[in-house]
Amino acid sequence: YREQARISTAIGDLRTLDNQLKSYKMSNDSWPPALNAVPQGTMLDPWGNNYRYLAIEDNVKAKGSERKDKNLVPINSDFDLYSNGKDGASSAPLTAAASQDDIVRANDGRYFGLASKY
């Protein structure tokens, strides 16, 4: 039950950060360079780690670093936002063992949840 509560908290945090990132984009016509540019960007996930963020849209340096599904297709076109989950480790493909417990934002914000269920 405790782990499910942590997952639910992380999903709620990601939704909050998602809204703040979109507000930043509307105000500045670009995605923030780092997560700490939004009001709650420095909060920690329920396991005590930083949330992860990668601006993808219009960011040449991000190409190749995006989170990917089982077919190695990027799961977002605008930005990646996720928690490394309980183990604190992650890898770009969601199918990697280190990524299975990650809490991710996918489909440009239409999915929030465990990477293993995406």
Side-chain angles (χ1 to χ4, degrees):
Y1 291 112
R2 287 183 186 157
E3 198 58 29
Q4 186 57 46
R6 288 184 182 113
I7 291 167
S8 295
T9 298
I11 290 170
D13 290 350
L14 290 178
R15 289 180 189 274
T16 298
L17 291 168
D18 177 66
N19 288 331
Q20 291 177 359
L21 289 163
K22 288 176 180 175
S23 293
Y24 183 100
K25 167 83 170 177
M26 288 175 54
S27 299
N28 299 285
D29 292 325
S30 66
W31 296 109
L35 193 55
N36 64 5
V38 299
Q40 291 179 297
T42 58
M43 76 171 139
L44 300 177
D45 70 14
W47 299 276
N49 301 308
N50 292 314
Y51 284 100
R52 303 294 184 180
Y53 161 75
L54 174 68
I56 298 169
E57 189 176 72
D58 302 324
N59 184 354
V60 175
K61 292 180 183 178
K63 301 302 180 200
S65 301
E66 311 100 328
R67 303 305 304 266
K68 298 172 181 70
D69 65 12
K70 65 181 178 182
N71 297 316
L72 299 180
V73 174
I75 62 172
N76 293 296
S77 63
D78 50 4
F79 62 89
D80 283 339
L81 182 63
Y82 60 97
S83 162
N84 285 343
K86 182 180 180 178
D87 66 4
S90 190
S91 183
L94 298 184
T95 54
S99 298
Q100 291 294 290
D101 69 335
D102 292 2
I103 314 304
V104 299
R105 170 195 179 269
N107 296 345
D108 293 341
R110 291 185 301 276
Y111 175 84
F112 291 88
L114 277 168
S116 61
K117 294 186 178 181
Y118 177 71

